[in-house]
């Protein structure tokens, strides 16, 4: 009997040990070989560095530890503790805007199915984001602020469970030991950072620091989390990353993971790692200085004084250059204000005067000595990108005057600190607040929305044709349309605008704009034109009439959705339900406006109307069927609609059924523009 019990105990012990053994995972990778991880999508290993994405737009890369790992104590829902650490870098490409981020993740399956690029980070897609059957736990290092995922900023670390809406997030950075101040880290500057992620007792801790630094004691994120429902019993673990039209390359240099030995994370080799920072422009160096040391005291002093003399001269020259620059600025740009004036107006930039936080910095309300209200935009000097954007903003907006553009009052450049722009104050905030974030009483009525769209069109028309140089806005969206006291629309935020001569082909290698409003050709080639503004305007029309953001989780894009409704003959369902509830819609007009939106957001730039044509159409011609002289609108649109591309651009919609179920072009054209006819002759340019 005793023997039996001893035997049983032994058996239990061995099974216990066996399960303990199989659930133990323990690895330390100081550099990668192809056998260390399995690669999916665009992930590659070169020189022992794991690169998740390459410089193709909309690339996804994923790397997973080759075998599943056990995540729970056998036959229980108790999640095993784990500790992982890795070193990553987000390498910027010269002259391109930052893209999207890296995610450390647990997934139930291999491969990249079910994930999209860009803002979905190669983690989820439109339909499965937020679905609890994903069984995904991730820690994101994201450099894009996505409003639909409620991202806190464009440089954050977040804890994600089955969704890109982070459960908890923080600005990237660390709390240095023994200090009470937070140190911000910029994720995508090419620098190498070490991350530690620990899970135990239903708490997940995330810590990061510049590579080489001892792990700070206080974690960046410390968040209570019960993973027992999230993780399956066995999971794959690894990294995923994605790019959009905005690109950088995502690299992992070393990685350790363990659920038994928690001291691995201190064994990552942090020295001698390559750097992915862009080379800085070299700073002037003073030569012939060191020679002085080897010679006698007299010579030393002489050399010193010569050097000092030279330095002072050089300094003076630099300062003179700066002054010259500012003289030139004064010649062209509007009134320069003193910092004191602006300080006084905004009560010393007090927090209570903050009326908004833009992509470039905070916006304050201010009162000038005369009593007129202004909006003061302030940008700090540390980001070169922002400065350049603002200089462009001054130089274009400052000289442009139109009743549908936000007027620039003045500006101020502080020697050290910040660049400040002073605009006319817009009493009624931005259009998106009147469409999306408001109660019934504040919501823009249908008539308001149509009038606002007309006014925006005339503002864009002025930008495109009203000035001696063609000005592209490049970032037309509802949050950039501001409303003045009389609810008149004024297009603002020319931070992304660049001047173009009428004759020159507008071109750029950098993609600027906002995801969801970017024309397909911008995403493909990075080139902007007046027709890409027309695309943005088309999306704006749809957004304002439908009361839906261009991109929303779990849904097709706005443009695709409206096309689909048009195809099914249910266009009116697209209209904002709150507007429909109010009733009194002019259905025919609504349909035409939506059709105009779709035409403007046509994938083929040549098929889009020009702003001239749009404004003409709005000048009373949308509601009235009044044939005019000149080219017939039907013929014009028939020509435009003949571009077959539209079918291939939206394959999900148009290639889904059998071809016989597709409406013919004739049907689409009839459906789109009915009997409306119109002359496309040029309009006169609106006043300055
Ligand atoms: C990107 O990665 C893929 C591998 O998925 C490769 O075929 C392609 O050539 C790479 N492109 C560039 C531009 O490096
Ligand atoms: C990988 O890169 C190629 C181009 O180099 C691209 O065509 C392909 O879609 C990319 N694959 C993924 C999964 O991102
Ligand atoms: C866990 O459950 C499986 C079947 O459900 C069983 O075969 C195994 O012996 C159990 N293991 C332990 C340690 O209880
Ligand atoms: C998203 O991924 C799921 C699989 O997880 C797939 O069934 C679905 O079709 C995908 N949706 C899109 C829009 O790609
Ligand atoms: C979540 O995904 C599962 C499986 O893909 C699907 O059956 C279910 O309908 C989805 N749930 C939601 C709310 O989308
Ligand atoms: C993150 O979680 C901590 C602790 O639970 C909490 O104090 C903090 O407000 C959270 N932050 C966000 C952005 O959710
Ligand atoms: C997480 O951080 C907190 C606060 O520093 C600490 O008390 C806790 O032990 C940590 N947990 C893990 C799993 O590292
Ligand atoms: C975690 O969730 C599981 C399942 O919902 C539950 O059984 C367990 O008690 C939870 N653990 C804690 C510590 O709350
Ligand atoms: C734990 O890991 C450290 C560093 O990798 C190693 O030196 C140590 O021997 C390991 N301990 C055990 C018990 O495996």
């Amino acid at each position: 009997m005793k023997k039996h019990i001893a035997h049983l105990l032994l058996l239990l012990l061995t099974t216990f040990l066996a399960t303990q053994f199989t659930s133990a995972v323990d690895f330390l990778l100081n550099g990668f070989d192809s056998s260390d991880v399995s690669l999916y999508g665009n992930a590659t290993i070169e020189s022992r560095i794991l690169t998740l994405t390459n410089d193709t737009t909309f690339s996804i890369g994923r790397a997973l530890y080759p075998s599943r790992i056990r995540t729970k104590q056998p036959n229980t829902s108790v999640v095993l503790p784990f500790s992982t650490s890795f070193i990553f870098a987000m390498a910027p490409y010269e002259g391109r805007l930052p893209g999207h981020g890296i995610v450390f993740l647990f997934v139930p399956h291999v491969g990249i199915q079910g994930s999209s690029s860009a803002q979905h980070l190669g983690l989820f897609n439109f339909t499965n984001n937020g679905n609890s059957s994903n069984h995904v736990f991730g820690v994101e290092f994201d450099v894009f602020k996505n409003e639909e995922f409620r991202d806190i900023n464009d440089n954050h670390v977040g804890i994600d469970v089955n969704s890109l809406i982070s459960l908890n997030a923080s600005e990237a950075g660390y709390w240095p030991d023994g200090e009470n101040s937070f140190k911000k880290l910029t994720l995508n500057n090419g620098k190498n950072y070490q991350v530690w992620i620990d899970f135990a007792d239903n708490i997940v801790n995330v810590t990061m620091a510049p590579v080489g630094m001892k792990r700070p004691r206080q974690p960046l994120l410390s968040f209570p989390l019960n993973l027992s429902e999230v993780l399956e019993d066995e999971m794959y673990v690894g990294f995923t990353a994605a790019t959009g039209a905005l690109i950088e390359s995502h690299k992992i240099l070393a990685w350790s993971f363990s659920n038994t030995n928690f001291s691995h994370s201190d064994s990552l080799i942090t020295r001698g790692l390559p750097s992915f920072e862009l080379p800085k422009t070299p700073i002037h160096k003073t030569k012939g200085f060191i020679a002085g040391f080897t010679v006698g005291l007299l010579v030393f002093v002489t050399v010193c004084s010569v050097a000092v003399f030279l330095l002072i001269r050089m300094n003076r020259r630099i300062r003179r250059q700066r002054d010259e620059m500012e003289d030139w600025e004064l010649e062209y740009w509007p009134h320069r204000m003193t910092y004191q004036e602006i300080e006084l107006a905004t009560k010393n930039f007090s927090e209570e005067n903050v009326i908004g936080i833009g992509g470039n910095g905070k916006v304050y309300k201010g009162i000038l000595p005369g009593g007129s209200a202004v909006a003061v935009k302030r940008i700090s000097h540390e980001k070169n990108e922002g400065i350049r954007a603002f200089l462009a903003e001054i130089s274009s907006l400052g000289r442009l005057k139109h009743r549908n553009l936000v007027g620039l009052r003045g500006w101020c450049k502080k020697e050290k600190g910040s660049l400040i722009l002073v605009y006319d104050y817009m009493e009624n905030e931005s259009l998106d607040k009147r469409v999306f974030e408001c109660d019934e009483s504040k919501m823009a009525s249908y008539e308001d929305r149509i009038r606002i769209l007309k006014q925006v069109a005339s503002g864009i028309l002025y930008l495109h044709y009203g000035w001696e140089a063609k000005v592209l806005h490049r970032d037309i969206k509802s949050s950039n349309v501001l409303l003045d006291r009389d609810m008149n629309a004024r297009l603002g935020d020319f931070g992304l605008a660049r001047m173009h001569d009428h004759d020159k082909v507008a071109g750029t290698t950098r993609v600027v704009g906002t995801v969801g409003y970017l024309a397909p050709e911008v995403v493909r080639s990075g080139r902007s034109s007046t027709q890409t503004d027309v695309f943005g305007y088309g999306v704006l029309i749809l957004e304002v009439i439908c009361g839906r953001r261009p991109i929303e989780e779990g849904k097709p894009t706005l443009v695709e959705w409206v096309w689909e409704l048009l195809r099914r003959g249910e266009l009116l369902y697209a209209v904002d339900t709150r507007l429909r509830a109010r009733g009194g819609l002019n259905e025919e007009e609504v349909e035409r406006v939506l059709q105009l939106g779709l035409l403007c957001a046509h994938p083929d730039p040549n098929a889009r109307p020009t702003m001239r044509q749009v404004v003409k159409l709005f000048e009373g011609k949308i509601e009235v069927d009044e044939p005019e002289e000149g080219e017939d609108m039907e013929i014009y649109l028939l020509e435009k609609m003949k571009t077959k591309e539209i079918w291939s651009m939206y394959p999900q919609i148009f290639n889904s059924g059998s071809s016989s179920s597709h409406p013919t072009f004739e049907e689409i054209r009839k459906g789109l523009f009915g009997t409306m006819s119109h002359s496309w002759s040029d309009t006169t340019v609106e006043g300055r």
Side-chain angles (χ1 to χ4, degrees):
M1 197 60 185
K2 268 194 183 152
K3 206 174 173 188
H4 265 110
I5 290 172
H7 197 83
L8 199 66
L9 275 177
L10 194 68
L11 195 73
L12 277 177
L13 199 63
T14 32
T15 34
F16 178 72
L17 283 176
T19 51
Q20 279 296 299
F21 181 72
T22 50
S23 62
V25 185
D26 219 356
F27 57 85
L28 172 61
L29 304 168
N30 275 306
F32 294 85
D33 277 328
S34 54
S35 60
D36 292 333
V37 284
S38 305
L39 304 178
Y40 306 94
N42 284 163
T44 52
I45 290 175
E46 234 172 88
S47 320
R48 297 188 56 75
I49 294 169
L50 169 60
T51 300
L52 292 165
T53 54
N54 65 13
D55 69 348
T56 39
T57 48
F58 299 109
S59 154
I60 303 176
R62 186 173 285 186
L64 299 173
Y65 188 65
S67 55
R68 285 176 206 264
I69 60 160
R70 180 161 279 290
T71 65
K72 293 180 189 162
Q73 280 174 19
N75 295 2
T76 72
S77 67
V78 179
V79 178
L80 292 166
F82 64 81
S83 170
T84 187
S85 181
F86 57 91
I87 295 170
F88 78 89
M90 294 191 205
Y93 289 109
E94 193 149 10
R96 300 223 210 138
L97 286 181
H100 301 276
I102 291 182
V103 185
F104 166 79
L105 84 173
F106 280 80
V107 270
H109 53 72
V110 296
I112 53 171
Q113 74 271 25
S115 62
S116 302
S117 53
Q119 70 270 30
H120 289 91
L121 296 175
L123 193 57
F124 302 116
N125 66 22
F126 279 124
T127 42
N128 65 12
N129 185 37
N131 190 327
S132 61
S133 66
N134 286 334
H135 294 288
V136 170
F137 163 72
V139 177
E140 64 171 51
F141 298 81
D142 192 2
V143 297
F144 199 84
K145 182 174 183 219
N146 250 102
E147 304 213 341
E148 70 257 49
F149 304 141
R150 296 178 215 142
D151 286 347
I152 54 168
N153 63 15
D154 62 356
N155 187 58
H156 62 271
V157 181
I159 295 172
D160 298 347
V161 168
N162 295 328
S163 168
L164 285 158
I165 300 177
S166 301
L167 293 177
N168 197 244
S170 165
E171 160 109 77
Y174 65 103
W175 297 90
D177 288 348
E179 283 174 48
N180 221 355
S181 61
F182 181 72
K183 285 239 175 4
K184 179 190 160 174
L185 296 174
T186 303
L187 293 174
N188 61 354
N189 56 7
K191 288 206 168 105
N192 299 324
Y193 296 112
Q194 184 168 4
V195 173
W196 297 265
I197 299 169
D198 296 283
F199 178 82
D201 306 324
N202 288 304
I203 291 185
V204 59
N205 284 350
V206 181
T207 314
M208 71 178 294
V211 87
M213 179 183 274
K214 206 172 125 268
R215 170 185 185 151
R217 275 197 297 275
Q218 184 179 346
L220 175 65
L221 296 174
S222 182
F223 191 70
L225 192 58
N226 185 345
L227 285 175
S228 69
E229 296 278 281
V230 179
L231 301 184
E232 293 185 345
D233 291 353
E234 292 191 326
M235 298 284 284
Y236 289 97
V237 62
F239 303 91
T240 192
T243 64
L246 320 164
I247 303 181
E248 65 243 311
S249 136
H250 303 91
K251 302 187 186 284
I252 309 286
L253 292 87
W255 179 28
S256 74
F257 182 98
S258 176
N259 52 20
T260 51
N261 183 349
F262 293 170
S263 51
H264 274 333
S265 55
D266 303 322
S267 307
L268 294 186
I269 295 169
T270 58
R271 268 179 295 180
L273 295 172
S275 169
F276 304 100
E277 289 175 77
L278 288 178
K280 291 204 179 76
T281 40
I283 308 155
H284 290 99
K285 290 173 186 167
T286 43
K287 286 178 183 173
F289 198 83
I290 300 146
F293 289 103
T294 50
V295 198
L297 185 68
L298 192 72
V299 181
F300 175 68
V301 168
T302 319
V303 171
C304 263
S305 37
V306 168
V308 165
F309 175 73
L310 283 177
L311 269 175
I312 288 171
R313 263 186 54 161
M314 193 191 291
N315 199 9
R316 211 178 276 156
R317 192 183 307 151
I318 288 169
R319 192 167 294 166
R320 202 163 54 229
Q321 269 170 4
R322 193 181 294 145
D323 285 346
E324 276 163 18
M325 168 74 173
E326 286 176 359
D327 288 346
W328 177 79
E329 285 167 356
L330 269 176
E331 237 175 75
Y332 283 94
W333 295 340
H335 178 56
R336 183 176 180 166
M337 295 178 170
T338 67
Y339 187 69
Q340 285 72 21
E341 271 177 277
I342 296 170
E343 236 177 0
L344 203 67
T346 58
K347 296 193 198 141
N348 232 338
F349 293 101
S350 86
E351 279 302 310
E352 69 188 61
N353 280 30
V354 173
I355 49 173
I357 297 175
N360 287 310
K362 282 186 183 167
V363 185
Y364 299 80
K365 183 179 178 175
I367 308 286
L368 292 182
S372 53
V374 289
V376 176
K377 216 175 192 190
R378 180 180 189 163
I379 181 197
S380 72
H381 249 307
E382 51 189 346
K383 269 200 219 151
N384 236 355
E385 200 58 55
I387 292 277
R388 232 179 293 146
F390 262 163
L391 287 178
E393 181 161 30
I394 297 179
S395 69
S396 55
L397 184 61
R399 288 184 275 166
L400 296 167
K401 292 263 180 290
H402 185 272
R403 63 172 176 269
N404 297 120
L405 299 177
V406 177
L408 180 62
R409 285 290 189 94
W411 62 281
C412 165
K413 199 164 100 188
K414 261 203 108 190
E415 189 81 66
K416 235 189 191 178
S418 46
L419 184 71
I420 296 161
L421 297 172
V422 181
Y423 297 97
D424 291 336
Y425 180 68
M426 296 290 126
E427 280 81 358
N428 281 308
E429 299 183 305
S430 59
L431 177 57
D432 63 328
K433 298 225 169 84
R434 295 280 168 165
V435 173
F436 299 108
E437 305 162 15
C438 58
D439 53 37
E440 277 292 312
S441 62
K442 276 197 147 188
M443 186 183 84
S445 69
Y446 172 71
E447 290 75 23
D448 282 340
R449 295 189 196 194
I450 295 289
R451 187 176 38 78
I452 286 166
L453 287 173
K454 284 183 195 174
Q455 290 169 338
V456 173
S458 94
I460 303 171
L461 176 69
Y462 174 73
L463 288 178
H464 285 181
Y465 305 106
W467 192 248
E468 70 255 18
K470 186 178 286 182
V471 179
L472 302 181
H473 187 286
R474 288 171 199 247
D475 201 13
I476 294 167
K477 56 179 171 182
S478 55
S479 57
N480 277 343
V481 174
L482 298 161
L483 301 169
D484 67 15
R485 189 184 309 132
D486 308 317
M487 287 292 279
N488 285 315
R490 286 163 174 271
L491 197 49
D493 209 344
F494 290 67
L496 299 165
R498 304 277 186 279
M499 300 290 257
H500 290 278
D501 293 331
H502 270 305
D503 308 351
K504 273 193 225 149
V505 179
T508 173
T509 52
R510 302 185 343 162
V511 173
V512 290
T514 302
V515 176
Y517 300 84
L518 286 172
E521 75 272 15
V522 177
V523 173
R524 276 198 306 272
S525 68
R527 274 168 178 271
S528 298
S529 64
T530 52
Q531 292 317 94
T532 61
D533 274 357
V534 173
F535 185 94
Y537 179 72
V539 177
L540 180 80
I541 291 184
L542 300 181
E543 187 181 8
V544 165
I545 300 294
C546 304
R548 233 198 82 173
R549 303 245 183 221
I551 293 179
E552 286 183 5
E553 4 160 2
K555 294 183 184 168
T557 67
L558 179 57
V559 176
E560 288 168 337
W561 180 64
V562 180
W563 268 116
E564 169 67 8
L565 287 173
L566 171 80
R567 198 180 66 86
R568 295 200 303 218
E570 300 173 344
L571 198 51
L572 281 174
Y573 283 112
V575 177
D576 193 338
T577 48
R578 297 208 283 172
L579 286 184
R580 275 196 274 155
R582 278 190 185 180
L585 291 181
N586 176 345
E587 295 189 356
E588 202 179 331
E589 187 188 61
V590 173
E591 288 203 337
R592 296 235 164 110
V593 174
L594 285 171
Q595 289 158 0
L596 178 65
L598 284 176
L599 194 65
C600 289
H602 195 289
D604 176 3
N606 298 317
R608 294 172 207 150
T610 65
M611 277 329 281
R612 259 197 243 277
Q613 292 167 332
V614 170
V615 167
K616 251 312 201 188
L617 203 62
F618 263 126
E619 279 173 355
K621 301 308 183 299
I622 277 196
E623 49 262 54
V624 191
D625 294 343
E626 218 182 284
E628 273 194 12
E629 290 178 76
E631 197 189 343
D632 188 53
M633 172 123 171
E634 283 190 36
I635 296 168
Y636 167 80
L637 286 166
L638 187 60
E639 283 307 303
K640 296 294 178 196
M641 294 304 292
K642 267 189 187 148
T643 52
K644 270 223 155 111
E645 245 154 287
I646 190 148
W647 310 112
S648 57
M649 293 253 180
Y650 294 119
Q652 308 93 305
I653 295 170
F654 296 109
N655 297 342
S656 48
S658 71
S659 59
S660 61
S661 73
H662 292 161
T664 62
F665 282 114
E666 186 64 15
E667 282 165 350
I668 285 263
R669 182 191 60 77
K670 277 239 173 74
L672 258 180
F673 296 97
T675 56
M676 180 167 49
S677 300
H678 185 64
S679 144
W680 291 109
S681 59
D682 284 354
T683 55
T684 46
V685 167
E686 301 264 325
R688 306 266 150 100

